[in-house]
Amino acid sequence: MEGLRMIGAGLAVAISCGGAGLGIGLAVSKAMESIARQPEADSKITKNLILGCALAEATAIYGFVIALLMLVLK
């Protein structure tokens, strides 16, 4: 049973961090395209990009916390 908890915790971290990385990568690429098309909107785009990246990173942190709880709690 201990091995299954380890595998589950690893999957929780891998999926959440992979999703967050993919989301942040897509957000940054679209933000760069937007800034290239409309340089005057740079400050608005950057503010929204930072907020979106923070929210995406929060999902990775939630996955990490869930993995830790899976390992600590029995």
Side-chain angles (χ1 to χ4, degrees):
M1 257 334 191
E2 185 68 28
L4 288 177
R5 285 189 348 182
M6 296 276 200
I7 291 172
L11 284 173
V13 171
I15 291 171
S16 65
C17 291
L22 184 64
I24 291 171
L26 287 173
V28 170
S29 74
K30 296 298 181 181
M32 293 298 112
E33 288 177 13
S34 300
I35 291 171
R37 289 183 184 158
Q38 292 184 335
E40 65 275 1
D42 181 30
S43 63
K44 281 185 171 182
I45 294 169
T46 303
K47 287 178 192 175
N48 289 327
L49 173 67
I50 291 172
L51 179 63
C53 287
L55 291 174
E57 195 64 33
T59 61
I61 293 170
Y62 293 149
F64 180 68
V65 169
I66 288 171
L68 287 177
L69 289 174
M70 289 172 69
L71 293 176
V72 172
L73 300 178
K74 292 184 179 185

